[in-house]
Amino acid sequence: SLLQLKLWNKYRVSNIPSLIFIDASTGKVVCRNGLLVIRDDPEGLEFPWGPKPFSEVVAGPLLRNNGQTLDSNALEGSHVGVYFSAHWCPPCRSLTRVLVESYRKIKEAGQKFEILFVSADRSEDSFKQYFSEMPWVAVPYADEARRSRLNRLYGIQGIPTLIVLDSKGEVITRQGRVEVLNDIECREFPWHPKPVLELTDSNAVQLNEGPCLVLFVDSEDDGESEAAKQLIQPIAEKIIAKYKAKEEEA
């Protein structure tokens, strides 16, 4: 029915079963990954399962691939890319290769940036093998509870996913994968969402994530695409501002 379709779209459900908790008084999503919640907290001790600050969820020791550990509070004051990935997944491996270069470029430009690898590997050995290629930090593989809490916090539905946070731990973009592939030189870092995008192979994935307005223009005529952009830019900005005021994703 139409109502069912509206609900699927509203909550961006892409696979089933899916369980989403909502605050009835405000209509806001409390938790997207309800299935992980009931697996991790069968007694309901953490109810009402609302989002916690990143610093609280990530708290604990982190690893470097040389075996060194550091405390998670070392991330404070940096932009952080939370990277959900696994060696068994080919798109993850190809993104990792690009991301290693992006990470170096951003650090060399003097930006405070760290990446946190949250593994979905199927064994400690494959985690170690994959992590050996990464110059950043990781949640220890054995700390399954913390890895699961991070998956819950960001409602991860598939990998690879790169969530980019500002220095206060607030989400800048959930589309880090698209941004990294679209901006090989990292000129746009930390990738604040743009109201209007030019459609490319790598950002077309966003068409699956909710209602989109797609404007077709004659690409032969450069002036026309610029005029079209200027036409829809203020409309897009207004829509984004409206959702921001409601503290919702546009």
Side-chain angles (χ1 to χ4, degrees):
S1 77
L2 187 61
L3 177 62
Q4 285 172 317
L5 193 61
K6 275 185 170 170
L7 287 168
W8 277 70
N9 285 337
K10 181 175 171 63
Y11 298 116
R12 300 201 308 280
V13 175
S14 57
N15 49 12
I16 54 171
S18 203
L19 176 61
I20 295 169
F21 294 115
I22 293 159
D23 179 338
S25 59
T26 63
K28 279 190 184 155
V29 173
V30 174
C31 174
R32 286 190 182 284
N33 277 24
L35 296 171
L36 279 183
V37 167
I38 53 179
R39 190 196 75 186
D40 293 351
D41 184 23
E43 307 287 311
L45 302 176
E46 293 178 38
F47 182 83
W49 304 304
K52 294 184 168 73
F54 169 70
S55 57
E56 189 180 318
V57 176
V58 78
L62 302 175
L63 295 178
R64 290 207 176 275
N65 64 16
N66 60 5
Q68 276 184 327
T69 60
L70 68 161
D71 193 81
S72 58
N73 62 20
L75 300 175
E76 282 172 23
S78 290
H79 283 79
V80 177
V82 189
Y83 184 37
F84 298 85
S85 187
H87 190 262
W88 53 261
C89 149
C92 291
R93 292 200 299 276
S94 55
L95 179 61
T96 297
R97 285 193 289 274
V98 177
L99 200 50
V100 167
E101 291 308 308
S102 302
Y103 178 76
R104 292 214 172 95
K105 282 175 190 157
I106 293 164
K107 300 283 267 192
E108 279 166 13
Q111 303 263 20
K112 294 191 78 176
F113 182 50
E114 196 47 76
I115 293 177
L116 174 67
F117 172 41
V118 184
S119 167
D121 289 293
R122 291 171 178 155
S123 71
E124 175 103 36
D125 282 347
S126 92
F127 160 75
K128 279 183 177 152
Q129 182 198 341
Y130 194 28
F131 186 40
S132 71
E133 303 163 19
M134 300 180 184
W136 45 75
V137 298
V139 176
Y141 185 80
D143 196 343
E144 204 176 322
R146 193 161 29 140
R147 289 192 289 125
S148 186
R149 281 198 300 272
L150 284 159
N151 271 279
R152 265 164 49 193
L153 178 62
Y154 298 115
I156 302 302
Q157 291 194 334
I159 55 172
T161 295
L162 178 68
I163 311 269
V164 183
L165 310 178
D166 67 15
S167 55
K168 296 188 181 75
E170 300 292 326
V171 174
I172 292 176
T173 178
R174 302 176 59 87
Q175 299 289 344
R177 175 194 185 181
V178 172
E179 297 291 356
V180 162
L181 295 175
N182 262 347
D183 181 23
I184 296 296
E185 294 304 316
C186 307
R187 290 196 183 102
E188 307 278 333
F189 176 82
W191 302 302
H192 288 279
K194 291 192 193 74
V196 179
L197 289 174
E198 203 154 302
L199 196 60
T200 65
D201 286 355
S202 54
N203 67 25
V205 62
Q206 287 169 257
L207 296 173
N208 294 327
E209 304 217 333
C212 295
L213 171 69
V214 184
L215 183 61
F216 293 86
V217 294
D218 184 355
S219 61
E220 297 302 305
D221 175 7
D222 270 345
E224 191 178 329
S225 66
E226 199 42 55
K229 235 182 219 174
Q230 286 174 6
L231 176 72
I232 55 177
Q233 181 87 14
I235 302 168
E237 284 173 1
K238 203 178 286 181
I239 293 169
I240 286 175
K242 185 181 98 178
Y243 280 94
K244 205 168 188 172
K246 289 201 262 182
E247 292 181 12
E248 286 177 14
E249 277 185 65

